[in-house]
Amino acid sequence: MCTGRKEGRLRIRRASRLAAAAVAVLALAGCGHQTGPADAAGAPESRSGEIGEPGLRQDRALVRKYFPELGDFEAVEWAGEILGKGRSSVPGPSDFRVSGVVRLADADVARLSKDHAWQNEPGTPVVLSTVRPRVPASVQWQTSEDFVTAVTQGRYSATFYADFKRKLIVFDAINPEKKAV
């Protein structure tokens, strides 16, 4: 019976050492990369898509993957950020927010204004602070519940404000899902 207890202790020690080694490997793996605002939107870490202001980007590919319903827009300025400070003490993926201003192509202005019921919306769109200076003032914004439903399919929260005279859509979304385009 003593032999059985001894073997049991040896197994426990081996398992403890293996667990400690696994924890050390996971801790070291987590130290190699810190997520920043560009990562929050799933964008590559490369800064090639940024313009003069830090955190403000012009690359279109990711916005097209999130919102293909906007069509083949001419330009975009957007930013993303991790919500909740990206705390590593909370397990699981972090939530992220992405906001931007899209300049629509003429064909998409015609299509979007015709295909969806838009209503005047008082006030100014709520967006990330880095995007706010890009949102024009003194605009009669319009919103469309059926457009939001078409884009989000009820899976995440988003707002879209349109000014078809200026060919603009302002967006703000939490955890948008990429779609195949």
Side-chain angles (χ1 to χ4, degrees), residues 69 104 108-116 118 147 164 169:
E69 296 82 1
L104 298 169
D108 294 315
V109 168
R111 176 182 56 83
L112 291 172
S113 62
K114 180 180 140 248
D115 290 354
H116 300 280
W118 297 88
F147 179 71
F164 293 118
I169 286 193

Side-chain angles (χ1 to χ4, degrees), residues 5-151:
R5 286 185 187 166
K6 200 177 215 180
E7 286 178 18
R9 285 188 206 134
L10 285 173
R11 284 187 200 138
I12 290 172
R13 284 186 192 145
R14 284 186 200 133
S16 295
R17 282 188 218 135
L18 285 172
V23 167
V25 167
L26 289 173
L28 288 173
C31 292
H33 177 74
Q34 290 186 332
T35 305
D39 294 330
E45 289 181 52
S46 157
R47 297 291 198 207
S48 63
E50 285 192 10
I51 60 172
E53 290 183 50
L56 198 57
R57 304 175 60 92
Q58 288 185 327
D59 45 326
R60 301 178 210 175
L62 190 68
V63 174
R64 282 193 173 120
K65 284 182 182 178
Y66 285 138
F67 313 118
E69 296 82 1
L70 294 175
D72 191 26
F73 52 84
E74 294 177 0
V76 64
E77 292 183 291
W78 65 274
E81 78 175 13
I82 294 177
L83 301 176
K85 307 289 186 219
R87 298 180 322 203
S88 62
S89 63
V90 180
S94 296
D95 289 332
F96 69 97
R97 180 178 174 193
V98 63
S99 296
V101 179
V102 174
R103 178 159 306 282
L104 298 169
D106 290 334
D108 294 315
V109 168
R111 176 182 56 83
L112 291 172
S113 62
K114 180 180 140 248
D115 290 354
H116 300 280
W118 297 88
Q119 293 123 19
N120 289 340
E121 183 69 34
T124 303
V126 176
V127 294
L128 291 169
S129 61
T130 51
V131 174
R132 196 171 300 125
R134 301 298 195 248
V135 177
S138 302
V139 171
Q140 179 55 61
W141 294 106
Q142 294 184 315
T143 59
S144 170
E145 287 184 34
D146 65 310
F147 179 71
V148 170
T149 301
V151 174

